[in-house]
Amino acid sequence: MEILGTLLPLILMFAIFYFLLIRPQQKRQKSIRDMHSNLQRGDKIITIGGIHGVIDAIDEDVLIVLVNDNRKLTFDRAAVREVVNPD
């Protein structure tokens, strides 16, 4: 019975950490992974560096993004922070 009294607070702390920190982070990573896999030509995006543009071409891991004055920049797929298509 004494072992249960010492292990219960540890188990409770682990459960709190799991539901407050670990689980939300896993959900966030899954949504980012889904967003990266669903990128398409013509999507308006914002990169991690804050550059706004439109996807011109897409490859396995590389995007070509059109920015101001039809200039093309090449980015890794992981550099996309969000898609801002007006739905």
Side-chain angles (χ1 to χ4, degrees), residues 7-22:
L7 287 180
L8 188 62
L10 290 174
I11 293 170
L12 187 61
M13 283 178 55
F14 178 75
I16 290 171
F17 275 116
Y18 178 76
F19 285 109
L20 292 179
L21 298 173
I22 298 169

Side-chain angles (χ1 to χ4, degrees), residues 21-36:
L21 298 173
I22 298 169
R23 191 162 178 245
Q25 179 65 26
Q26 288 175 341
K27 282 185 174 183
R28 207 170 311 124
Q29 286 175 342
K30 184 182 183 304
S31 69
I32 290 171
R33 208 171 30 249
D34 291 343
M35 186 251 319
H36 285 165

Side-chain angles (χ1 to χ4, degrees), residues 16 20 24 31 37 41 51-53 55 61 65 82 85 87:
I16 290 171
L20 292 179
S31 69
S37 66
R41 185 172 190 259
I51 296 174
H52 294 242
I55 297 176
D61 294 324
V65 178
E82 64 180 301
N85 287 339
D87 291 329

